[in-house]
């Protein structure tokens, strides 16, 4: 008689085998679609991701190598420690992540954990609330390139940053602050000595610079591979009618949730950039729905980004679960920020006196706003349910909790 453990192993083997055969057959049946999707993923990586992240990866690595992050962290300790219940270097990681975008926050947290600057709990929590979409991506590619409205991009960026801050505060609830054994002056003197020691190492700047570039390129190659794979998976699921079938099924469960929005959500849960592009192409579109979905999808990021962060964290055996919980919390918080502040702030600011693109329609009638809450509840439930299901299968495939 099979034991529970043996049944679990058999189910994992079956799921892995089924998925591998399914996508292998799809690639053979739709070779042109697979090739085009891989090309699009490569172009996205080579023209946007690689040039945008490489300088930040190199600079952040040098800041860590020379002890500058630890030294600057001392000045942020009085603010960051009470706010997030983590070391002051968490503030440096948070700030650099806002500028550089994912997965630099997780990468720096893992590296500082490896060097003993952060505890495991601190590194996992910092990785969870220091995950940002690049501001250039939000303001440039999304706001101007896709939606044609810079003000909408500013609102999305503000919601993105505030929601991450709130996630960090929530993660710090119940965490005890360690007893300070040194005064601020003593800590500053200690870190200054460490900084001088790191600056006087035998290795030259050229050695550290070359090492930083090598590690950055290695990480970016991994990221590029994941982007291409998820782009192909996304295209194959749509070509094999899996995505339309799921969208049609959910549409019967939530008749108020339009089918085209469901397809956008499913697509973005795999690769957020493609999903946002599809969202901008929905006609006609309601401004509230567009802003709500865009903010929520930017918060969750998509499982392409999750795979990137998970790979970075796995190098130091840090858990992925806190990161996933952080993304779910940020998604819900972003949806709440859009819902409660849409009428008094976001709507007047975005519309103003300027003409709104034809792709975006909105009304101030009472009928329109009675639609908000069913839409919001449907969105939250949809993202929460799909993320839990995908997380369950992810854990099954990796055979660990």
């Amino acid at each position: 008689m099979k034991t529970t453990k043996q049944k679990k192993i058999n189910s994992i083997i079956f799921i892995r085998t089924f998925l591998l055969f399914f996508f292998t057959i799809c690639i053979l049946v739709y070779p042109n679609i697979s090739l085009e999707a891989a090309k699009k993923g490569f172009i996205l990586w080579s023209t946007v991701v690689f040039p945008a992240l490489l300088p930040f990866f190199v600079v952040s690595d040098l800041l860590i190598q020379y002890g500058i992050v630890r030294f600057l962290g001392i000045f942020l300790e009085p603010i960051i420690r009470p706010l997030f219940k983590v070391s002051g270097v968490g503030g440096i990681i948070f700030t650099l992540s806002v500028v550089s975008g994912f997965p630099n926050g997780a990468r720096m947290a893992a590296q500082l954990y490896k060097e003993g600057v952060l505890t495991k709990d601190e590194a996992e929590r910092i990785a969870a609330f220091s995950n940002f979409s690049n501001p250039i991506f939000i303001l440039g590619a999304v706001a101007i390139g896709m939606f044609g409205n810079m003000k909408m991009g500013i609102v999305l960026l503000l919601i993105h940053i505030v929601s991450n801050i709130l996630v960090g505060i929530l993660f710090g609830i119940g965490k005890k602050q360690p007893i300070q054994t040194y005064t601020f002056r003593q800590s500053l003197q200690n870190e200054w000595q460490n900084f001088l020691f790191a600056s006087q190492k035998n290795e030259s700047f050229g050695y550290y610079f070359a090492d930083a570039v090598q590690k950055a390129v290695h990480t970016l190659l991994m990221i590029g591979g994941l982007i291409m794979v998820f782009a192909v998976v996304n295209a194959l699921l749509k070509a094999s009618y899996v995505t339309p079938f799921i969208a049609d099924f959910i549409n019967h469960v939530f008749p108020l949730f339009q089918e085209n929005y469901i397809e956008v959500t499913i697509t973005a849960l795999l690769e957020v950039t493609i999903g946002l592009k599809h969202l901008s192409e929905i006609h006609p579109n309601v401004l509230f729905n567009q802003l709500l979905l865009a903010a929520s999808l930017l918060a969750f990021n998509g499982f392409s980004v999750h795979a990137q962060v998970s790979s970075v964290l796995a190098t130091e055996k840090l858990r992925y679960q806190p990161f996933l919980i952080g993304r779910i919390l940020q998604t819900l918080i972003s949806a709440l920020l859009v819902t409660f502040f849409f009428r008094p702030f976001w709507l007047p600011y975005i519309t103003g006196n300027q003409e709104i693109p034809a792709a975006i329609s909105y009304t101030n009638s009472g009928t329109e706003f009675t639609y908000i809450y069913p839409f919001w509840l449907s969105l939250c439930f949809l993202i929460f349910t799909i993320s839990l299901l995908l997380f369950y299968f992810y854990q099954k495939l990796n055979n660990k909790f």
Side-chain angles (χ1 to χ4, degrees):
M1 188 174 180
K2 294 182 179 180
T3 62
T4 304
K5 185 177 180 180
Q6 185 62 42
K7 289 181 179 179
K8 181 180 178 181
I9 294 173
N10 290 342
S11 65
I12 293 169
I13 294 173
F14 173 77
I15 293 172
R16 284 178 175 170
T17 305
F18 173 77
L19 290 176
L20 288 172
F21 269 108
F22 174 76
F23 285 111
T24 301
I25 293 171
C26 286
I27 292 172
L28 294 174
V29 174
Y30 306 106
N32 293 332
I33 293 176
S34 301
L35 182 60
E36 287 301 315
K39 285 181 180 178
K40 289 180 181 179
F42 177 77
I43 292 172
L44 173 66
W45 173 76
S46 60
T47 60
V48 178
V49 177
F50 189 90
L53 291 183
L54 180 63
F56 287 103
F57 277 18
V58 173
V59 170
S60 60
D61 191 86
L62 290 174
L63 289 174
I64 293 174
Q65 290 288 349
Y66 281 101
I68 299 174
V69 170
R70 293 182 61 174
F71 178 71
L72 294 178
I74 294 297
F75 295 96
L76 293 177
E77 190 85 14
I79 301 173
I80 300 301
R81 180 70 70 179
L83 187 64
F84 298 133
K85 304 297 191 300
V86 296
S87 170
V89 300
I92 305 297
I93 297 175
F94 184 88
T95 304
L96 290 174
S97 299
V98 172
V99 179
S100 62
F102 54 77
N104 201 31
R107 180 176 172 273
M108 292 184 68
Q111 189 170 349
L112 288 169
Y113 167 68
K114 179 182 179 181
E115 296 184 5
V117 179
L118 297 172
T119 65
K120 185 176 182 180
D121 177 70
E122 285 180 330
E124 290 173 347
R125 286 192 288 126
I126 290 172
F129 68 82
S130 296
N131 187 74
F132 294 91
S133 293
N134 192 297
I136 297 175
F137 171 72
I138 295 178
L139 297 176
V142 176
I144 298 176
M146 297 180 188
F147 297 112
N149 192 319
M150 172 58 80
K151 288 186 176 181
M152 184 174 178
I154 294 173
V155 170
L156 287 172
L157 182 61
L158 179 62
I159 292 173
H160 197 56
I161 295 174
V162 171
S163 60
N164 247 327
I165 293 174
L166 293 176
V167 169
I169 294 173
L170 290 174
F171 268 52
I173 294 176
K175 302 291 182 181
K176 293 183 179 180
Q177 297 188 52
I179 300 174
Q180 299 292 330
T181 55
Y182 298 98
T183 64
F184 174 79
R185 185 174 181 178
Q186 290 174 325
S187 299
L188 190 61
Q189 290 175 343
N190 291 338
E191 292 303 331
W192 176 250
Q193 292 299 323
N194 292 333
F195 170 67
L196 292 177
F197 176 76
S199 301
Q200 296 171 0
K201 289 181 179 179
N202 294 329
E203 290 82 359
S204 64
F205 175 80
Y207 171 83
Y208 285 118
F209 180 76
D211 183 61
V213 172
Q214 184 179 21
K215 288 190 288 188
V217 170
H218 180 269
T219 303
L220 285 167
L221 284 173
M222 178 269 296
I223 292 172
L226 289 169
I227 290 174
M228 292 173 65
V229 167
F230 274 89
V232 172
V233 169
N234 216 333
L236 292 177
L237 288 176
K238 191 171 184 178
S240 59
Y241 300 99
V242 173
T243 301
F245 172 78
I246 296 174
D248 185 63
F249 173 77
I250 296 175
N251 189 47
H252 283 83
V253 179
F254 297 102
L256 289 175
F257 200 82
Q258 298 178 26
E259 189 171 348
N260 47 9
Y261 287 123
I262 298 173
E263 288 196 30
V264 163
T265 303
I266 296 172
T267 301
L269 283 177
L270 291 174
E271 173 47 54
V272 67
T273 307
I274 300 173
L276 289 172
K277 179 63 176 174
H278 291 174
L279 175 63
S280 68
E281 295 169 351
I282 294 177
H283 299 283
N285 214 327
V286 179
L287 180 58
F288 172 81
N289 299 350
Q290 200 172 50
L291 185 64
L292 176 67
L293 203 54
S296 300
L297 295 176
L298 283 170
F300 191 78
N301 281 147
F303 278 94
S304 173
V305 176
H306 285 234
Q308 297 170 30
V309 173
S310 177
S311 300
V312 171
L313 295 176
T315 58
E316 302 304 328
K317 297 183 179 180
L318 295 172
R319 294 181 303 158
Y320 161 71
Q321 290 90 328
F323 177 82
L324 176 66
I325 295 171
R327 299 287 62 74
I328 294 174
L329 284 175
Q330 190 184 1
T331 301
L332 299 178
I333 292 171
S334 297
L336 285 170
L337 290 174
V338 171
T339 302
F340 291 123
F341 296 107
F342 178 76
R343 198 165 192 175
F345 297 110
W346 311 142
L347 180 61
Y349 175 73
I350 293 174
T351 58
N353 296 320
Q354 298 181 1
E355 184 180 352
I356 301 301
I360 305 175
S361 61
Y362 66 95
T363 68
N364 289 322
S365 65
T367 305
E368 174 62 31
F369 283 90
T370 59
Y371 182 74
I372 286 177
Y373 299 102
F375 183 90
W376 179 78
L377 291 174
S378 299
L379 170 69
C380 293
F381 183 80
L382 177 64
I383 293 179
F384 182 74
T385 303
I386 293 177
S387 61
L388 285 183
L389 287 173
L390 290 177
F391 175 62
Y392 171 77
F393 286 114
Y394 171 85
Q395 296 289 18
K396 278 284 187 181
L397 290 174
N398 286 275
N399 194 22
K400 59 183 179 182
F401 283 89

